[in-house]
Amino acid sequence: MKSARRMQIDMLPHPDNIAETCNKFNVQLAQYFEPSSALGGDYWQMFPIRNNLLGFYLCDFSGHGVAAALNTFRLHGIIAQMNKKEITAPAA
């Protein structure tokens, strides 16, 4: 469970990456993550689309524990394979 929790936390944006992104895009951003149990189904990420366009997504899978955490790991893998440079609108 400790390894799974560490993996889940490692999927979130690193504070250094947040600071770099804030500087690049001239935005302010803060995060706080604390699941209600050892593992949870909450997950968020940010990614540059183009020099002047920053993308975000936030997910909250229902439930708690291993089942919800597995869904975050699956989603992370799927989104990591996407070509985010082709996104032109939030609906995309």
Side-chain angles (χ1 to χ4, degrees):
M1 292 295 278
K2 282 184 180 182
S3 285
R5 181 170 169 82
R6 181 80 249 150
M7 287 173 58
Q8 192 171 37
I9 290 171
D10 287 345
M11 288 190 320
L12 299 171
H14 189 274
D16 292 343
N17 184 262
I18 292 173
E20 180 182 319
T21 300
C22 287
N23 287 334
K24 179 179 179 180
F25 288 92
N26 195 28
V27 296
Q28 294 181 358
L29 179 65
Q31 74 165 346
Y32 178 79
F33 176 79
E34 185 173 339
S36 62
S37 61
L39 295 173
D42 300 333
Y43 172 59
W44 79 280
Q45 192 56 262
M46 62 183 181
F47 54 93
I49 297 172
R50 288 185 287 283
N51 286 338
N52 63 343
L53 193 58
L54 181 60
F56 290 89
Y57 59 91
L58 173 66
C59 306
D60 184 356
F61 286 97
S62 62
H64 303 283
V66 174
L70 285 174
N71 282 325
T72 63
F73 293 134
R74 288 181 22 204
L75 180 65
H76 176 75
I78 291 167
I79 292 177
Q81 295 176 25
M82 293 174 56
N83 182 357
K84 296 170 197 72
K85 301 291 183 193
E86 294 178 2
I87 296 172
T88 58

